[in-house]
Structure formats: structure tokens, C-alpha cells
Amino acid sequence: MIRLEKRPNPSRFWLYATPVVAVALTMIAGGLMFAALGKNPFEVIRTIFWDPLFGEFAWYLRGQLLVKAGPLVLIAVGLSLGFRAGIWNIGAEGQYIMGAICGAGVGLAFYPTESRLIFPLMILAGAFGGWVWAMIPAILKTRFNTNEILVSLMLVYVAQTILAMASTGFLRNPEGAGFPGSRNFSSYPAAQNPELIAGSGLHWGGVAALAVVVLAYVLLQKHILGFQIKLAGQAPRAARFHGVNPATLVVLCMGISGALAGLAGMFEVTGPAGQISIDFNSGYGFTAIIVAFLGRLNPVGILLGGLLMALTYIGGEMASTNLGLPSSAIQAFQGMLLFFLLGVDVLTNFRIRSLIGRSTTGAR
Amino acid sequence: MSERPVLLAVEGITKAYPGVVANADVSFSIGEGEVHALLGENGAGKSTLVKMIYGLVKPDQGRMVWKGADYAPAAPRAARATGVAMVFQHFSLFEALNVAENVALGMENPPPMKELAAKIRAVSEEYGLPLDPSRMVGDLSAGERQRVEIIRCLLQDPKLLIMDEPTSVLTPQEVEILFRTLRQLSAEGTAILYISHKLEEIRSLCDAATILRRGKVVGTADPKTSSARELAEAMVGATLTPPERHGREKGRVLLGVSDLSVASPIPFGTSLKEVSFTVSAGEVLGIAGVAGNGQDELLLALSGEIAAPSDRVRIDSAPMGDKGPGERRRAGLVAAPEDRLGHAAAPDMSLVENAFLTGAIRKGLTKNGFIDWAATRDYAERVIKAYDVRTPGSHVAARALSGGNLQKFVIGRELSQEPLVIVINQPTWGVDAAAAAAIRQAILDRAAEGAAVVVISQDLDELLEISDRFAVLNGGRLTPPRPVQGLTVDEIGLMMGGAHGMEVAHHV
């Protein structure tokens, strides 16, 4: 028999060790699954974790790493602030889509004008689109005490419908011979989000993600707002006693996460995706939730978690094309990562006690 | 007393938890029909001991003997089958169920509701504890809730009734009635194990006393012949000095509350109704009342966690009723809520962070919104030192501290902010006698320096010791404050609303 016992203080060691242990356990369990599917587990693990960084096509795939990690990190940092305050924005995917539509819409409205002001304006519009979409669940929650999880999640499907309307209707390329999808931003330099260093995969979205990581770190460590966010999540009554207004905090956290998700969508659609299309969004808004927890809701952790997640995406894709693994096996593999992370996480706040060896362990 | 046959003998009981020995070689015995006091400070090991008798905890060593036979209950069920019943300090009642349903939930084989209700009526009349079985527990006063627990026990026809600090929630009249019930039970042959640290009660009720200190039996006493001072010094292991009162001048009014009515944000809470009072510089207003009569709500309304029309609460003449906790702190008001862990302090945050929690504004711990952690750490460490908070350091999480130590930290944190107005709910809850005396002294010192102090407490002795004026919260209404000098216990009892209609019960 074993028993969990709450630690008087959270363990510093396990706080940093859990992600490493979780990755190791995922490799073991995933390897068993790949073996059961009749593949060589070592080869699959190598394809997923090694080849994208150091393999034959690494020159291309390394760039892809930043392309994929950028929006994940940008969204996840925003979400993590809310999650820390106990505010559960699950609808980042919708805010991401709305940011993309608003940002792209503003850019396309100026087509074909060339001006340096257009791209900054689009950035503002993208953030605004995501912010507005997040304000809907925020205000419903503060006014009518609705559940922000449900409302934000359901608004994802509304956003997807608007995206379909945009790409087949109001933002469709007039010169596109009736095909769905907007004009391609690669042929509109003033509104384009270019690769900043050739081959690096770094675009303005990646720069923004790095900046946001630094800002969020400073906010949480040094600023009173970061303190209030943490306090509200850990002890809501103590937060009220301190003087936090819960409604203000909901609006603030939802707003920040929505705006950052909107930014990510805008950078994606004007850069790597290139155009508004029915399926330009690839679930970054949902994956970012995993990234936020993988990074322990800590900005630096999220940066690392985002890179790791991007790696499993790219490596997973290679494994399914090169080794013929079903894509659902890759998704299960990613799911394992979150499962083990949350499972091992218990050790940060609890220690395992054996009831059999009680006379020796109970003495401490 | 010695001719009573021994009902339960505890012999050499030892129980250790990680890091602390709760009971070390404890022995005592209780005779049939005897009222036996277990006396000791918080943390002396009283609760652990009775939990072992009630089968909730297993002793590491030692044995218990019940009427000459070995007694080792594996669970409370076994203890109840033997004839042991217990009334806990914290009630385990469902507020949304009625009295009979609550009683039925605690029984092994509850009879049909109608029969049970009749039984409850019969027992309650027999022992002078009137109780309507069909009333909702959520509507009952704390004293009435305790009656539910007692009747639940009496229905089991116990040979030994354990009562853990039963009077902390009662008015003086209710205490008197409870004692009559207990004496009646004792006369009928039921032994009572009575846990308390209130010495006068023990002197008036108990036949024998076992005194515990730090898990060990440090003595036995005959409460009828020992003085309260002797008992207290045996319990604390030191001589006690009452707090010193400096003569002080009453200054201008610093806190004015007029016609304050607010709804309670707490489920089954008590709304405040037309509460009015003023407190001047240098003055201590004591507010008594049985728990759940609006104390929590009053603290929330004063700290700024519940808003009211702006002119209902004035701090140093400035209308503050509609302002939040931050602005009220800036105006000079500090507050210490009753619930330390989760309300006054964040359990998982360090003492440094918890110092920042309320000290940020008055101690100037932020610059342009950025936190000065070095200054905050200094502040936390000064509080730890000045109030003798036992902790390995300021980096430790609040929940790692014992209740009494956290209490000292929370009170110290508020009192160290050079406040104009101090509001404290239950200032010495859970701290040992020496620390309680230090806290009371610190409160009086702040008053002497010119602060206006409101102390809300259920401990009448404490309030009478430190207050200049005294008022009672009853059902969310505050009685007009009266000077403490010359107030009698009977008058206080009447201010507390008497015994909630129980006077009629004992007209023998």
C-alpha cells in the first residue's frame, strides 16, 4: 500500500524534474505503443525527437520548429495568466481565428495601397479581434455569472463558421476564379509577415512570442498585477481581502489572452499560412492549452514546452509519412505527454509514503 | 469520588505524529457518573487523547480498560457500541436538512422519521434542551445546533459522553442550561469527559481534572478546591501576568459606522441590520456574540470586502463605505479576519508574499506597480521577530506554520502598519496563553499610541480584559455599546439575547 502525503512546502526539485520525467515516461510508454503497432520503437522515437533537429532535412525542419512554436508560445503565455488566476479561457482557437480575420481584413481593405503603416495597423486589428472575442465570455461571466469555459469553447465554433463565411464570401479573392480563400499575402508586401532571417523560420510572430515571454516573466515575478493573478488563483478570499476585484481580473486576463491569441492568428495568416482559408487554423489554440500546462504555467517553461510540442508535431508528421504510422498514434503520443505531466506533477506537492515500511518511514 | 467504580482507565497511552508527540505516557481514569475535566492549552494533546477513546485514532502504545475489560475501539462505531458518545467542537450537521434528518444520519439503524421525531421531543424535554425536530438546521443558532449534537448522542444512551470545548459557542445563560443538563446526566450515572481551557466552568462543573501540557499529564487537581490561578499556572507551566493598561486619553472619532445594513455574501450567513457605533482614538471596542451572528459580515463590511453606501462607514471622518480594501488601508484601517488560512493569508504563498498581501500599501512596498521584494522580506522578518513567530524562515509557505504561529504572524503584520483603525476578529484564536497575552498587550499598546480598535471575539473574558466599551452582535444587530466598567455577567448575558428562549425549559 502507498499513500500520498501533502508536503509542507512544494518541492523545488520536483517542480523542475517533473517535465523531464514526464518526457522520459512518454518515450517509454509511447515506445511500447509503437512496438505494439509493429514498428521499431527506437526508430520512431529517433524520427520524432532527433531527426527534425539533426537529421537529413534538419536545415528545413529546424525553421519549421520556430514557425510552429511561435503561435503556440504566444497563445499559451496569455492563457497561463488566466489559468493562474483560475480563469479558464478554453476558446483561444476562436480568438485566434477572429484575430486572423480582423488583421487580414484590415490589410485587404487597403489592397493594393503600399504603406509602412498598414502592417502595424493590422497587428492592432488582430489583437483587437481576439480581444473582442474574449470579451464576450468575460462580460457574460462578470454580469451574469456564466461559465467562461463553456462560453469561450462554444464561441470557437461560431468563429469557425465566420471563418468559412469569410473565405467563401466577404474576404474571398475577387481574382481567385471563385475558389474559396482570400488573396495571398505573399503577393502584397505591405501586409505581409515575412521570414526575417532566411531559413530560420523566424517571423514577427516569433519575435512577439519571445517579447511576451519576457514581459510575462517580469509581470509575474515583479509586478503587483502578477502577484494578484497568482493570489486570485491560489486563495480567492485572500485576494478579495488584499483588494483584488474579481470582475476586473476576469476582464483583464480574458482580454490579455484573447489579444495574444488574436495576434498569433494575424501573424499566422499573413505569414506561414499566407491567406484566409477555411482550414488555415490548425488547432494551435487548443494545443496551446497543453503547452501552457507543459510549461507549468511559467513563461520560460512555456517557451521550452512550445518548442517541445512543435518538435513532436514535426517529428510526428515525419514519422507518419516516412514510417507509415497512423496520425492518431502520434496524437495518442502527444496525449501521453500531457497525461504523464499531470500525473507526475502530483509529486511537487505530495510525497509518496509506503504504508508497509511505516515504522521506518514514519519516524521523520 | 473515590468510591465510584472505575468506568474507563487509560494506561500509558502514547501517540506520535511525524515531528510531534501528541501524547506521551498518558494515564488517567474516570469513574461512573463522574464529570472529569481534561485541561490544557491548545496543542496540549487533549483532542488526540479523546479521539483515541472515541476510536478515531489508534494509540501507538498503552492500553485502555473499560469496566475491567480491554477496550480498543477500531472505529467510532465500535466506541459507540460500547457506550461512548462524543460532541465535537465543530458540528457535523447539514444545514439544508431538518433536525430529525440530521439525527438520523448519525445513527446506525434510524427508526422511521415519525418515531424518531417523537423520541427527539421526549429526550429534549427530559433533559431541558427544547428542540423542534422539524426545523431546518440552517435556521438554528449555534447553541441550538449543539443541542442537536447532544441529543444525537443521548439517543444512544451513552455511559461516557465526551464534550470538546462545548461552551465556546454559547451565551452565559446557555452555558448554565447546558451545565444543568450535564449535572442531570451525571446524577443518572453517565460519566462526562469535559475538555476545556475555561477554568471557571471547570471549577463549577467538574469533579476531577487531569491537566495536560505538551502531551504529558502534568498533574491532577480537584477543581472545587483549586483556584483558577493555580489551574492556569499548572496548565501553562508559568506564572501569568495580566496585560498592562496605560491610562489614556480618548481622542477624536476615527471609525464611525452608522445605520449599516448589508446582505451576507455567505450562504446561511447573517445580514447586518442597522449597525451603528463609533470608536475614538485610544479606545478599544469589544464586540461579543455567539458565532454566526454577523461577526464575519461585520469584518467584511469594515475591511472593504463588502461595499455599502459611502457615508455608512467613515474612517477618520472620510466616507469610505463604497471603497475597497486597498483604499481603506490607505486611509489607515487594517483588519485581521478570523479565518487565517485562505482569508487572512494565502496558504501556498511564502510569509514574504503574505506580508505583501496587506502590507503593500501602508509599508510602501511597491514602486510604480513593481514589488520591492527586498523591502517586503525585511518587513516580513521584522514581524516574525517582533511577534515571536516560530518558523524556519520567511520563505516558508503559510500553511506550514501551526495555527497559533500563523495567527501571531497575521496579527503582527496588521499591527506593524502604524494603523489608525484596527479591526480584529478572534485575535487569540488557537494561540497558547503566553502568546495570547502578548497579542492582547500589543493591541493595547497600539490603542495607547492612538489607534481606534475594534475586537470581535467569542471569548468574553478576553473582551472584558481589553475593552473600554462593550457591545454584542445578535442576529446581525449590534446592541448600543456600554462602558465595560461595572458591567455584570448577567447584563452581558441579556445583551447576548439571553438563552434563545431556553429559560422556560428548566422550571423544575
Side-chain angles (χ1 to χ4, degrees):
Chain A
M1 273 280 282
I2 56 166
R3 181 167 65 102
L4 286 173
E5 186 177 284
K6 189 149 193 181
R7 294 177 193 270
N9 276 314
S11 159
R12 289 226 140 242
F13 171 76
W14 280 107
L15 191 64
Y16 296 108
T18 42
V20 179
V21 173
V23 169
L25 286 173
T26 308
M27 284 187 181
I28 295 168
L32 291 173
M33 177 181 73
F34 296 136
L37 287 168
K39 308 288 175 192
N40 177 352
F42 296 100
E43 197 184 354
V44 181
I45 300 285
R46 200 199 66 212
T47 310
I48 294 176
F49 286 102
W50 183 263
D51 286 358
L53 294 174
F54 309 106
E56 198 183 339
F57 302 102
W59 54 271
Y60 168 74
L61 294 174
R62 271 184 226 160
Q64 284 297 301
L65 204 60
L66 283 187
V67 168
K68 291 219 185 313
L72 285 176
V73 171
L74 200 53
I75 301 170
V77 168
L79 291 180
S80 71
L81 296 179
F83 291 171
R84 284 218 167 183
I87 297 159
W88 304 98
N89 178 6
I90 302 299
E93 183 75 7
Q95 294 139 22
Y96 170 84
I97 291 171
M98 294 310 287
I101 293 176
C102 287
V106 166
L108 293 172
F110 287 104
Y111 182 85
T113 321
E114 284 292 328
S115 163
R116 290 187 158 215
L117 294 175
I118 291 177
F119 194 65
L121 200 63
M122 290 166 66
I123 292 179
L124 289 179
F128 177 77
W131 178 80
V132 164
W133 213 241
M135 274 307 103
I136 300 172
I139 286 168
L140 287 176
K141 182 179 176 71
T142 52
R143 280 287 153 86
F144 304 109
N145 201 20
T146 56
N147 183 324
E148 78 276 18
I149 300 178
L150 287 177
V151 177
S152 66
L153 179 62
M154 289 192 293
L155 282 172
V156 172
Y157 306 108
V158 178
Q160 279 171 347
T161 310
I162 295 175
L163 175 65
M165 283 160 60
S167 56
T168 56
F170 60 90
L171 288 182
R172 192 178 58 178
N173 183 357
E175 293 152 29
F179 282 104
S182 71
R183 283 183 201 279
N184 200 308
F185 286 90
S186 59
S187 55
Y188 181 22
Q192 192 197 356
N193 174 22
E195 195 173 22
L196 297 173
I197 303 163
S200 70
L202 184 72
H203 57 73
W204 285 114
V207 175
L210 285 173
V212 163
V213 165
V214 173
L215 287 177
Y217 183 82
V218 173
L219 178 81
L220 286 172
Q221 296 296 321
K222 305 272 181 200
H223 199 272
I224 188 163
L225 179 61
F227 175 79
Q228 292 175 339
I229 285 173
K230 289 187 276 188
L231 185 61
Q234 291 183 12
R237 280 188 309 143
R240 295 196 74 136
F241 178 56
H242 166 75
V244 176
N245 180 343
T248 314
L249 204 62
V250 167
V251 169
L252 207 70
C253 286
M254 290 296 284
I256 292 174
S257 56
L260 290 179
L263 270 185
M266 178 269 157
F267 285 126
E268 183 70 15
V269 82
T270 53
Q275 62 171 162
I276 290 279
S277 60
I278 292 179
D279 53 357
F280 93 91
N281 62 316
S282 31
Y284 283 144
F286 289 123
T287 311
I289 298 172
I290 304 181
V291 170
F293 281 103
L294 195 62
R296 326 214 43 96
L297 305 182
N298 172 314
V300 179
I302 287 169
L303 181 62
L304 299 174
L307 288 168
L308 180 68
M309 208 57 178
L311 187 65
T312 66
Y313 261 86
I314 297 162
E317 223 163 274
M318 279 183 59
S320 61
T321 45
N322 295 356
L323 306 172
L325 267 176
S327 62
S328 51
I330 301 299
Q331 284 168 5
F333 185 72
Q334 288 165 343
M336 280 178 195
L337 189 59
L338 185 67
F339 173 83
F340 282 117
L341 187 86
L342 296 178
V344 179
D345 198 32
V346 167
L347 294 174
T348 314
N349 275 311
F350 292 85
R351 62 174 141 236
I352 295 176
R353 276 280 170 85
S354 160
L355 288 187
I356 297 165
R358 210 171 151 196
S359 51
T360 49
T361 55
R364 212 194 83 91
Chain B
M1 272 161 273
S2 48
E3 58 262 34
R4 283 198 176 109
V6 172
L7 176 70
L8 174 74
V10 170
E11 293 168 7
I13 289 274
T14 297
K15 175 75 196 175
Y17 290 109
V20 57
V21 178
N23 285 141
D25 196 21
V26 170
S27 303
F28 74 97
S29 65
I30 175 166
E32 285 177 24
E34 180 182 313
V35 185
H36 192 108
L38 266 187
L39 193 55
E41 291 188 272
N42 286 296
K46 297 167 294 182
S47 293
T48 307
L49 184 57
V50 293
K51 277 182 188 164
M52 286 188 278
I53 298 172
Y54 194 55
L56 280 167
V57 174
K58 270 204 194 97
D60 295 341
Q61 277 168 35
R63 63 178 203 135
M64 294 182 278
V65 180
W66 178 272
K67 290 184 175 173
D70 258 352
Y71 169 67
R77 183 187 302 246
R80 284 197 294 264
T82 313
V84 179
M86 182 159 172
V87 177
F88 288 89
Q89 191 176 359
H90 301 285
F91 308 144
S92 45
L93 298 173
F94 293 91
E95 297 191 321
L97 297 179
N98 71 27
V99 170
E101 286 164 339
N102 266 290
V103 170
L105 277 174
M107 299 177 83
E108 313 292 346
N109 297 305
M113 272 305 156
K114 240 187 179 157
E115 230 172 89
L116 184 62
K119 259 187 169 169
I120 292 173
R121 266 201 199 92
V123 171
S124 73
E125 264 162 44
E126 190 184 342
Y127 291 97
L129 300 168
L131 198 59
D132 180 352
S134 60
R135 275 184 74 193
M136 217 53 122
V137 165
D139 300 331
L140 300 183
S141 73
E144 290 170 314
R145 288 176 198 211
Q146 186 182 56
R147 269 176 250 161
V148 181
E149 294 272 12
I150 295 174
I151 285 173
R152 184 193 267 177
C153 287
L154 294 184
L155 285 173
Q156 301 162 23
D157 210 2
K159 298 283 167 295
L160 173 64
L161 179 63
I162 304 172
M163 304 210 69
D164 192 355
E165 307 245 349
T167 57
S168 54
V169 297
L170 302 183
T171 65
Q173 277 85 348
E174 284 177 323
V175 170
E176 218 21 73
I177 287 160
L178 172 69
F179 280 12
R180 266 184 257 172
T181 303
L182 294 182
R183 288 193 190 106
Q184 185 184 346
L185 278 168
S186 157
E188 289 170 11
T190 306
I192 292 160
L193 189 55
Y194 188 88
I195 302 173
S196 183
H197 56 250
K198 293 189 180 166
L199 305 164
E200 287 305 334
E201 285 177 3
I202 285 170
R203 293 187 61 221
S204 83
L205 180 71
C206 300
D207 306 317
T210 298
I211 301 163
L212 289 175
R213 192 192 322 143
R214 301 212 179 119
K216 291 193 180 109
V217 175
V218 292
T220 53
D222 182 348
K224 306 272 192 225
T225 57
S226 314
S227 76
R229 197 181 173 84
E230 284 164 11
L231 292 175
E233 291 180 357
M235 185 165 92
V236 178
T239 43
L240 292 171
T241 42
E244 226 177 290
R245 307 197 58 157
H246 305 279
R248 51 180 188 254
E249 296 279 300
K250 238 172 80 171
R252 64 181 196 280
V253 171
L254 287 181
L255 176 65
V257 174
S258 55
D259 199 17
L260 176 68
S261 301
V262 290
S264 173
I266 308 160
F268 289 106
T270 308
S271 303
L272 296 180
K273 299 170 194 91
E274 298 149 25
V275 169
S276 299
F277 63 89
T278 60
V279 193
S280 303
E283 190 183 32
V284 180
L285 172 68
I287 294 182
V290 169
N293 271 292
Q295 287 93 335
D296 291 340
E297 290 79 3
L298 181 61
L299 184 117
L300 294 175
L302 292 178
S303 74
E305 290 162 82
I306 317 181
S310 76
D311 58 342
R312 298 295 152 88
V313 178
R314 287 173 182 270
I315 299 171
D316 200 7
S317 313
M320 281 281 159
D322 55 343
K323 300 289 193 293
E327 279 146 303
R328 293 195 196 193
R329 279 193 195 103
R330 201 165 282 122
L333 181 142
V334 299
E338 175 185 5
D339 190 0
R340 314 305 168 200
L341 219 48
H343 191 186
D348 288 316
M349 285 191 165
S350 72
L351 294 182
V352 176
E353 287 166 296
N354 272 301
F356 183 81
L357 186 85
T358 66
I361 292 171
R362 293 195 69 75
K363 301 306 272 186
L365 301 175
T366 57
K367 284 188 193 103
N368 302 322
F370 287 90
I371 301 169
D372 185 345
W373 282 120
T376 309
R377 182 167 300 113
D378 272 1
Y379 171 51
E381 275 162 13
R382 279 203 309 276
V383 170
I384 289 169
K385 215 171 153 215
Y387 287 83
D388 187 31
V389 180
R390 312 270 164 85
T391 167
S394 58
H395 63 279
V396 171
R399 69 167 145 88
L401 264 62
S402 73
N405 272 310
L406 185 59
Q407 172 69 3
K408 289 190 265 180
F409 180 78
V410 166
I411 299 286
R413 177 184 72 184
E414 303 306 331
L415 295 184
S416 308
Q417 294 182 28
E418 294 92 40
L420 286 180
V421 181
I422 302 167
V423 182
I424 303 181
N425 192 2
Q426 298 278 64
T428 57
W429 175 86
V431 304
D432 61 50
I439 286 175
R440 287 179 201 136
Q441 187 65 58
I443 292 171
L444 288 175
D445 289 348
R446 289 298 161 284
E449 288 163 21
V453 184
V454 178
V455 174
I456 306 168
S457 175
Q458 286 163 47
D459 187 338
L460 280 179
D461 299 337
E462 169 171 283
L463 286 178
L464 296 176
E465 189 177 305
I466 63 173
S467 312
D468 299 302
R469 287 190 301 148
F470 179 89
V472 175
L473 257 183
N474 197 350
R477 290 178 194 278
L478 190 75
T479 64
R482 296 176 55 175
V484 165
Q485 288 228 308
L487 214 54
T488 67
V489 170
D490 274 347
E491 283 173 313
I492 292 170
L494 288 176
M495 286 171 87
M496 292 178 83
H500 298 289
M502 283 176 55
E503 295 91 333
V504 288
H506 271 285
H507 55 105
V508 203

